[in-house]
Amino acid sequence: MAGKLATYLTDIAKDHAKMTTFKADPYSAMNGAGLSDKEITAVLSKKPELISQAIGGRGGLAAADADTTVVVVVL
């Protein structure tokens, strides 16, 4: 579910406790949040193109007048 990954990344960016949990054990934090293996693998890859695909992006961060929230997660 692509919307779930975007929502999760936005949530951890806004919540210090969630970010701390994520930084301590990214896999467990994402797995516990119910993200799919594909979504988890994309985030752990640290490759923007894979993360964008997992979120549901098409050809870049801002496609065809889309409202885009960009969340940067540093592992």
Side-chain angles (χ1 to χ4, degrees), residues 35-54:
L35 298 182
S36 71
D37 287 339
K38 179 181 177 180
E39 292 166 325
I40 293 170
T41 299
V43 173
L44 294 178
S45 76
K46 302 179 187 177
K47 295 181 179 177
E49 63 276 8
L50 293 181
I51 296 168
S52 178
Q53 288 173 3

PDB file of all heavy atoms in Angstrom, residues 35-54:
ATOM      1  N   LEU A  35       4.381  -1.920   7.246  1.00  0.00           N
ATOM      2  CA  LEU A  35       4.823  -1.692   5.876  1.00  0.00           C
ATOM      3  C   LEU A  35       5.152  -3.025   5.208  1.00  0.00           C
ATOM      4  O   LEU A  35       5.557  -3.984   5.863  1.00  0.00           O
ATOM      5  CB  LEU A  35       6.044  -0.778   5.849  1.00  0.00           C
ATOM      6  CG  LEU A  35       5.844   0.634   6.403  1.00  0.00           C
ATOM      7  CD1 LEU A  35       7.129   1.433   6.271  1.00  0.00           C
ATOM      8  CD2 LEU A  35       4.702   1.353   5.718  1.00  0.00           C
ATOM      9  N   SER A  36       4.991  -3.057   3.898  1.00  0.00           N
ATOM     10  CA  SER A  36       5.271  -4.283   3.143  1.00  0.00           C
ATOM     11  C   SER A  36       6.778  -4.498   3.028  1.00  0.00           C
ATOM     12  O   SER A  36       7.575  -3.570   3.219  1.00  0.00           O
ATOM     13  CB  SER A  36       4.667  -4.182   1.736  1.00  0.00           C
ATOM     14  OG  SER A  36       5.395  -3.243   0.958  1.00  0.00           O
ATOM     15  N   ASP A  37       7.161  -5.712   2.676  1.00  0.00           N
ATOM     16  CA  ASP A  37       8.586  -6.016   2.482  1.00  0.00           C
ATOM     17  C   ASP A  37       9.176  -5.132   1.384  1.00  0.00           C
ATOM     18  O   ASP A  37      10.313  -4.686   1.486  1.00  0.00           O
ATOM     19  CB  ASP A  37       8.788  -7.492   2.129  1.00  0.00           C
ATOM     20  CG  ASP A  37       8.580  -8.413   3.322  1.00  0.00           C
ATOM     21  OD1 ASP A  37       8.671  -7.931   4.473  1.00  0.00           O
ATOM     22  OD2 ASP A  37       8.324  -9.604   3.103  1.00  0.00           O
ATOM     23  N   LYS A  38       8.398  -4.866   0.326  1.00  0.00           N
ATOM     24  CA  LYS A  38       8.868  -4.017  -0.772  1.00  0.00           C
ATOM     25  C   LYS A  38       9.135  -2.604  -0.268  1.00  0.00           C
ATOM     26  O   LYS A  38      10.151  -1.995  -0.615  1.00  0.00           O
ATOM     27  CB  LYS A  38       7.833  -3.990  -1.893  1.00  0.00           C
ATOM     28  CG  LYS A  38       8.222  -3.122  -3.058  1.00  0.00           C
ATOM     29  CD  LYS A  38       7.165  -3.106  -4.132  1.00  0.00           C
ATOM     30  CE  LYS A  38       7.566  -2.163  -5.257  1.00  0.00           C
ATOM     31  NZ  LYS A  38       6.579  -2.106  -6.315  1.00  0.00           N
ATOM     32  N   GLU A  39       8.241  -2.071   0.552  1.00  0.00           N
ATOM     33  CA  GLU A  39       8.416  -0.725   1.094  1.00  0.00           C
ATOM     34  C   GLU A  39       9.631  -0.660   2.010  1.00  0.00           C
ATOM     35  O   GLU A  39      10.438   0.272   1.931  1.00  0.00           O
ATOM     36  CB  GLU A  39       7.158  -0.284   1.836  1.00  0.00           C
ATOM     37  CG  GLU A  39       5.965  -0.058   0.918  1.00  0.00           C
ATOM     38  CD  GLU A  39       4.654   0.059   1.657  1.00  0.00           C
ATOM     39  OE1 GLU A  39       4.470  -0.636   2.682  1.00  0.00           O
ATOM     40  OE2 GLU A  39       3.796   0.828   1.194  1.00  0.00           O
ATOM     41  N   ILE A  40       9.776  -1.650   2.873  1.00  0.00           N
ATOM     42  CA  ILE A  40      10.906  -1.694   3.805  1.00  0.00           C
ATOM     43  C   ILE A  40      12.223  -1.788   3.041  1.00  0.00           C
ATOM     44  O   ILE A  40      13.173  -1.053   3.324  1.00  0.00           O
ATOM     45  CB  ILE A  40      10.751  -2.865   4.797  1.00  0.00           C
ATOM     46  CG1 ILE A  40       9.554  -2.619   5.731  1.00  0.00           C
ATOM     47  CG2 ILE A  40      12.034  -3.065   5.601  1.00  0.00           C
ATOM     48  CD1 ILE A  40       9.162  -3.813   6.577  1.00  0.00           C
ATOM     49  N   THR A  41      12.269  -2.664   2.059  1.00  0.00           N
ATOM     50  CA  THR A  41      13.481  -2.843   1.256  1.00  0.00           C
ATOM     51  C   THR A  41      13.852  -1.553   0.545  1.00  0.00           C
ATOM     52  O   THR A  41      15.027  -1.185   0.487  1.00  0.00           O
ATOM     53  CB  THR A  41      13.286  -3.982   0.236  1.00  0.00           C
ATOM     54  OG1 THR A  41      13.034  -5.202   0.957  1.00  0.00           O
ATOM     55  CG2 THR A  41      14.506  -4.166  -0.643  1.00  0.00           C
ATOM     56  N   ALA A  42      12.857  -0.846   0.024  1.00  0.00           N
ATOM     57  CA  ALA A  42      13.118   0.418  -0.679  1.00  0.00           C
ATOM     58  C   ALA A  42      13.747   1.440   0.256  1.00  0.00           C
ATOM     59  O   ALA A  42      14.744   2.080  -0.087  1.00  0.00           O
ATOM     60  CB  ALA A  42      11.818   0.965  -1.277  1.00  0.00           C
ATOM     61  N   VAL A  43      13.178   1.606   1.446  1.00  0.00           N
ATOM     62  CA  VAL A  43      13.719   2.587   2.405  1.00  0.00           C
ATOM     63  C   VAL A  43      15.125   2.183   2.835  1.00  0.00           C
ATOM     64  O   VAL A  43      16.037   3.021   2.866  1.00  0.00           O
ATOM     65  CB  VAL A  43      12.790   2.749   3.622  1.00  0.00           C
ATOM     66  CG1 VAL A  43      13.438   3.631   4.687  1.00  0.00           C
ATOM     67  CG2 VAL A  43      11.439   3.326   3.205  1.00  0.00           C
ATOM     68  N   LEU A  44      15.321   0.926   3.154  1.00  0.00           N
ATOM     69  CA  LEU A  44      16.635   0.467   3.601  1.00  0.00           C
ATOM     70  C   LEU A  44      17.698   0.558   2.508  1.00  0.00           C
ATOM     71  O   LEU A  44      18.887   0.652   2.804  1.00  0.00           O
ATOM     72  CB  LEU A  44      16.559  -0.962   4.147  1.00  0.00           C
ATOM     73  CG  LEU A  44      15.730  -1.140   5.426  1.00  0.00           C
ATOM     74  CD1 LEU A  44      15.679  -2.604   5.836  1.00  0.00           C
ATOM     75  CD2 LEU A  44      16.273  -0.283   6.565  1.00  0.00           C
ATOM     76  N   SER A  45      17.273   0.557   1.239  1.00  0.00           N
ATOM     77  CA  SER A  45      18.217   0.677   0.123  1.00  0.00           C
ATOM     78  C   SER A  45      18.852   2.059   0.063  1.00  0.00           C
ATOM     79  O   SER A  45      19.932   2.226  -0.493  1.00  0.00           O
ATOM     80  CB  SER A  45      17.512   0.409  -1.214  1.00  0.00           C
ATOM     81  OG  SER A  45      16.725   1.536  -1.602  1.00  0.00           O
ATOM     82  N   LYS A  46      18.151   3.062   0.633  1.00  0.00           N
ATOM     83  CA  LYS A  46      18.593   4.471   0.612  1.00  0.00           C
ATOM     84  C   LYS A  46      18.669   5.028  -0.802  1.00  0.00           C
ATOM     85  O   LYS A  46      19.316   6.046  -1.049  1.00  0.00           O
ATOM     86  CB  LYS A  46      19.934   4.649   1.323  1.00  0.00           C
ATOM     87  CG  LYS A  46      19.922   4.195   2.758  1.00  0.00           C
ATOM     88  CD  LYS A  46      21.281   4.376   3.398  1.00  0.00           C
ATOM     89  CE  LYS A  46      21.316   3.767   4.787  1.00  0.00           C
ATOM     90  NZ  LYS A  46      22.621   3.851   5.416  1.00  0.00           N
ATOM     91  N   LYS A  47      17.984   4.383  -1.747  1.00  0.00           N
ATOM     92  CA  LYS A  47      17.979   4.832  -3.141  1.00  0.00           C
ATOM     93  C   LYS A  47      16.691   5.600  -3.417  1.00  0.00           C
ATOM     94  O   LYS A  47      15.603   5.022  -3.367  1.00  0.00           O
ATOM     95  CB  LYS A  47      18.099   3.637  -4.086  1.00  0.00           C
ATOM     96  CG  LYS A  47      19.412   2.909  -3.966  1.00  0.00           C
ATOM     97  CD  LYS A  47      19.503   1.762  -4.927  1.00  0.00           C
ATOM     98  CE  LYS A  47      20.851   1.065  -4.788  1.00  0.00           C
ATOM     99  NZ  LYS A  47      20.923  -0.094  -5.677  1.00  0.00           N
ATOM    100  N   PRO A  48      16.816   6.900  -3.703  1.00  0.00           N
ATOM    101  CA  PRO A  48      15.620   7.714  -3.916  1.00  0.00           C
ATOM    102  C   PRO A  48      14.661   7.156  -4.964  1.00  0.00           C
ATOM    103  O   PRO A  48      13.445   7.235  -4.795  1.00  0.00           O
ATOM    104  CB  PRO A  48      16.185   9.069  -4.358  1.00  0.00           C
ATOM    105  CG  PRO A  48      17.560   9.104  -3.788  1.00  0.00           C
ATOM    106  CD  PRO A  48      18.044   7.673  -3.813  1.00  0.00           C
ATOM    107  N   GLU A  49      15.207   6.575  -6.027  1.00  0.00           N
ATOM    108  CA  GLU A  49      14.332   6.060  -7.078  1.00  0.00           C
ATOM    109  C   GLU A  49      13.498   4.873  -6.585  1.00  0.00           C
ATOM    110  O   GLU A  49      12.324   4.743  -6.944  1.00  0.00           O
ATOM    111  CB  GLU A  49      15.119   5.690  -8.344  1.00  0.00           C
ATOM    112  CG  GLU A  49      16.138   4.573  -8.176  1.00  0.00           C
ATOM    113  CD  GLU A  49      17.505   5.016  -7.648  1.00  0.00           C
ATOM    114  OE1 GLU A  49      17.680   6.175  -7.246  1.00  0.00           O
ATOM    115  OE2 GLU A  49      18.413   4.167  -7.636  1.00  0.00           O
ATOM    116  N   LEU A  50      14.066   4.015  -5.749  1.00  0.00           N
ATOM    117  CA  LEU A  50      13.304   2.884  -5.207  1.00  0.00           C
ATOM    118  C   LEU A  50      12.273   3.352  -4.182  1.00  0.00           C
ATOM    119  O   LEU A  50      11.146   2.837  -4.143  1.00  0.00           O
ATOM    120  CB  LEU A  50      14.238   1.855  -4.569  1.00  0.00           C
ATOM    121  CG  LEU A  50      15.172   1.108  -5.515  1.00  0.00           C
ATOM    122  CD1 LEU A  50      16.029   0.103  -4.746  1.00  0.00           C
ATOM    123  CD2 LEU A  50      14.394   0.410  -6.606  1.00  0.00           C
ATOM    124  N   ILE A  51      12.645   4.332  -3.376  1.00  0.00           N
ATOM    125  CA  ILE A  51      11.707   4.878  -2.396  1.00  0.00           C
ATOM    126  C   ILE A  51      10.542   5.546  -3.117  1.00  0.00           C
ATOM    127  O   ILE A  51       9.379   5.342  -2.760  1.00  0.00           O
ATOM    128  CB  ILE A  51      12.416   5.847  -1.437  1.00  0.00           C
ATOM    129  CG1 ILE A  51      13.477   5.088  -0.615  1.00  0.00           C
ATOM    130  CG2 ILE A  51      11.404   6.534  -0.511  1.00  0.00           C
ATOM    131  CD1 ILE A  51      14.426   5.979   0.157  1.00  0.00           C
ATOM    132  N   SER A  52      10.848   6.319  -4.155  1.00  0.00           N
ATOM    133  CA  SER A  52       9.804   6.982  -4.934  1.00  0.00           C
ATOM    134  C   SER A  52       8.854   5.963  -5.551  1.00  0.00           C
ATOM    135  O   SER A  52       7.633   6.140  -5.530  1.00  0.00           O
ATOM    136  CB  SER A  52      10.435   7.840  -6.031  1.00  0.00           C
ATOM    137  OG  SER A  52       9.442   8.453  -6.808  1.00  0.00           O
ATOM    138  N   GLN A  53       9.395   4.874  -6.096  1.00  0.00           N
ATOM    139  CA  GLN A  53       8.557   3.823  -6.673  1.00  0.00           C
ATOM    140  C   GLN A  53       7.676   3.178  -5.615  1.00  0.00           C
ATOM    141  O   GLN A  53       6.506   2.904  -5.857  1.00  0.00           O
ATOM    142  CB  GLN A  53       9.415   2.754  -7.346  1.00  0.00           C
ATOM    143  CG  GLN A  53      10.052   3.209  -8.633  1.00  0.00           C
ATOM    144  CD  GLN A  53      11.031   2.185  -9.178  1.00  0.00           C
ATOM    145  OE1 GLN A  53      11.209   1.104  -8.629  1.00  0.00           O
ATOM    146  NE2 GLN A  53      11.693   2.532 -10.268  1.00  0.00           N
ATOM    147  N   ALA A  54       8.238   2.934  -4.434  1.00  0.00           N
ATOM    148  CA  ALA A  54       7.469   2.304  -3.362  1.00  0.00           C
ATOM    149  C   ALA A  54       6.346   3.222  -2.871  1.00  0.00           C
ATOM    150  O   ALA A  54       5.278   2.756  -2.474  1.00  0.00           O
ATOM    151  CB  ALA A  54       8.386   1.922  -2.198  1.00  0.00           C
TER     152      ALA A  54
END
